[in-house]
Amino acid sequence: MRGAAAVAGVGQTTYWKWGQADEPEFKLALRAIMAACEDAGISPSEIDGFASYSNDRTEASRLAAALGIDELKYAVMQWGGGGGGAAGAVANAAAAIATGQADCVVAFRALAQGQFGRFGQGPRRNTISGANAHTVPYGLMSPAQMFAMRVNRFMHDHGVDQSALRAISLASYQHAQTNPAATMYGKPLTAEQYDESRWIVEPFHIYDCCQENDGAAAIILVSAERAADLAHRPTYVLGAVSGSHHRVGAPVHNDPLYATSSFTTVAPRLYEMAGVTPADVDVVQSYENFTGGVLMAVVEHGFCEPEQANEFFTLDNLLAPDGDFPLNTSGGNLAEAYMHGLGLTIEAIRQIRGTSPNQLRAADGGVDVSMMIAGPMVTPVSSVIFGSDATIEGIGA
Amino acid sequence: MSGYLADGLPVPVPSSDGRDAPYWEALAENRLVLQRCNNCRGWQWGPEWICHRCRSFDLGWEETEATGVIYSHERVWHPVHPALKDHGPFVIVLVELPQCDGVRVVGNLLGDPMQDLVIGTPVTGVFEHHRDHDPPYTLLQWRVD
Ligand SMILES: [Zn+2]
């Protein structure tokens, strides 16, 4: 699959605070897809497949009818909640193209929580049964609570300080200050504000937790041959994988490798497919549901040893363009918008194209290898590596 | 308020497929039972229909002492349910049961919510009955030894 598919276009709507979108969810999806077609310079008629995740309510067949596409050849939903499929949808789209099942596939996510209710809230009923009956009556009912338990164990095992989580949060907020599309544009965050902010659940302050937003984003993938005819610098899918290790989904917090973000087997497969190593990766976008997930996911992708986390996760090190490990360069889920990670995937593509709001310097040779890590701590998770045309003939080819 | 947490959270009932009914019935009798495979004798939790080791469908229920160690913990501040609106911080623990192949259960850690939380601390189970509730139910809470 390496290099078989490439990005034709990307599109996104205005990003809104949750519940404030002035258009319905389905229309937001249409707007993001139309924006991606315009960016690609293709007609929507060329689209023949749709890939989404997290039980997206916008059905492929509805989109196909509304957009009047000629023929629907591929309609696939990645199982799993949250943003675990934000790279998996790209993987599924690229797989369809690589295997000839479709020629032009849209990976998308649309969210309007005003229309459909919020995440992060406990159940509002009198009784509960099944696996949740063993957690919810003890007050364990939100994603923040589900994941703080894993992060506390990881930080204990490896002696990681709160400052590592803080650096991840501050980097996203700082990167958003040069991104006018970010919901936190013009709303900088200081270390003091972070330290004094309220706890949601230890070790997560409120600034360690993603926002909830309304909007939509879309990425159109085509064959590498077709992409060569299009306007943008070609951005190839070098590798895109999903999954999780042995029994991550064991109920009641019984994942055997508990203090992980579920990438222990996924990351090695990603590098193998992409033909690159962590040292080849120029820039990383890592999905912040919570900063602790970023911490573990970056470790599991081989960028730092867990025992080095306190030295590695500093604000200076995570900032573009001068840090050694620029992270979440558009503001990410925390400060750009929470599009279940698809916004981060688009930012990974922008870095290759040279159009990021915090573009890595051309003096460094530009960005040839750009990674997006999706949905740490859920299952399945996914990650993707995009490459420039230089990677097709260069490293690992 | 009759338990560690305020009344008004969803209360547990056995799953409609009956899978975990023996667990809830035993808690009401101050006993902790978990699933144990009758074929390979491995413990497993949460409730399943098949043994993940030997793939036998012959899973039994076996009693174990309600003792364990804190595997992880969290102090919760933000109320995500209206019943907890004015509750203040509380502690959830993930308790490992070494005598049961290290399976884990979730509960609250009784006592001062601001107490030091230390992974590896031995804890003992406390059966918290809500017999007057409709439906009645029992939770398994934990206390530092
Ligand atoms: Zn067995």
Side-chain angles (χ1 to χ4, degrees), chain B residues 37 39-42 51 53-56 59:
Chain B
C37 177
N39 182 47
C40 75
R41 304 298 292 149
C51 172
R53 295 182 182 84
C54 72
R55 285 82 185 214
S56 168
L59 291 172

Side-chain angles (χ1 to χ4, degrees), chain A residues 238-263:
Chain A
L238 294 186
V241 297
S242 65
S244 49
H245 57 248
H246 176 67
R247 301 195 75 234
V248 172
V252 200
H253 294 243
N254 274 274
D255 171 3
L257 279 180
Y258 186 70
T260 66
S261 60
S262 318
F263 283 103

Side-chain angles (χ1 to χ4, degrees), chain A residues 122-123 125-129 134 138 141 145 148-149 152-153 156 198-202 247 251 253-255, chain B residues 5 10-13 20 45-46 48 52 71-78 80-81 104 106 108 119 140-141:
Chain A
R125 50 181 182 269
N126 297 329
T127 63
I128 190 146
S129 65
H134 301 271
Y138 302 99
M141 53 183 84
Q145 296 167 342
M149 197 78 96
N152 271 326
R153 178 74 199 201
H156 164 85
R198 65 190 177 97
W199 291 112
I200 299 301
V201 49
E202 297 175 40
R247 301 195 75 234
H253 294 243
N254 274 274
D255 171 3
Chain B
L5 292 177
V11 309
V13 293
D20 60 359
W45 195 247
E48 296 277 12
H52 69 83
Y71 185 84
S72 193
H73 54 72
E74 58 188 11
R75 190 164 14 241
V76 178
W77 293 79
H78 179 66
V80 293
H81 191 283
R104 306 178 200 126
V106 166
N108 297 118
I119 285 170
L140 179 57
Q141 307 288 26

Side-chain angles (χ1 to χ4, degrees), chain B residues 90-101:
Chain B
F90 64 94
V91 176
I92 307 172
V93 281
L94 182 58
V95 175
E96 182 182 55
L97 308 179
Q99 70 276 23
C100 302
D101 297 330

